[in-house]
């Protein structure tokens, strides 16, 4: 019974992550860093840790914080990450041109 749960969870998450922003960010970072193994290890460990946090939290955080606050925190975090990636894309181009 636990094997079927494990398999269904794996298939669901695997399909959900295909083409997701995480995979696209990993693809971009791997292509620009020339260190695909380091990017793989970093993104894999980040996904495992994020999944662990999600599994342990399991929605109990919503008992302490309203949904609007949780969505606001997620939105602000994604915005900050996006801006940093955007700025870094121009910074890395400038560094490449100077070398």
């Amino acid at each position: 019974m636990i094997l079927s749960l494990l398999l269904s969870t794996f298939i669901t998450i695997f399909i959900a992550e295909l083409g997701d922003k995480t995979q696209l960010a990993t693809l971009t970072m791997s292509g620009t860093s020339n260190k695909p193994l380091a990017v793989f290890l970093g993104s894999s460990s980040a996904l495992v840790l994020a999944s662990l946090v999600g599994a342990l939290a399991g929605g109990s955080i919503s008992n302490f914080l309203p949904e609007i606050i949780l969505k606001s925190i997620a939105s602000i975090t994604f915005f900050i990450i996006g801006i940093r990636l955007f700025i870094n894309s121009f910074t890395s181009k400038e560094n490449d041109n100077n070398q």
Side-chain angles (χ1 to χ4, degrees):
M1 182 158 84
I2 193 168
L3 185 60
S4 64
L5 177 61
L6 178 71
L7 186 59
S8 66
T9 302
F10 174 83
I11 291 171
T12 303
I13 299 301
F14 183 78
I15 291 171
E17 289 296 322
L18 286 177
D20 190 14
K21 60 190 159 295
T22 305
Q23 186 181 29
L24 297 175
T26 302
L27 179 77
T28 302
M29 293 176 76
S30 179
T32 59
S33 70
N34 296 324
K35 305 267 188 214
L37 182 60
V39 174
F40 168 74
L41 293 174
S43 65
S44 297
S45 58
L47 182 59
V48 167
L49 182 61
S51 297
L52 176 65
V53 169
L56 293 177
S60 62
I61 293 175
S62 63
N63 293 330
F64 303 106
L65 293 175
E67 182 180 348
I68 187 71
I69 292 177
L70 291 174
K71 287 183 178 181
S72 298
I73 291 170
S75 300
I76 291 168
T77 303
F78 276 119
F79 182 74
I80 290 170
I81 291 170
I83 293 297
R84 290 189 66 190
L85 286 171
F86 185 72
I87 290 170
N88 287 343
S89 71
F90 288 111
T91 305
S92 66
K93 286 180 185 177
E94 289 174 6
N95 289 340
D96 291 342
N97 291 337
N98 290 337
Q99 291 178 357

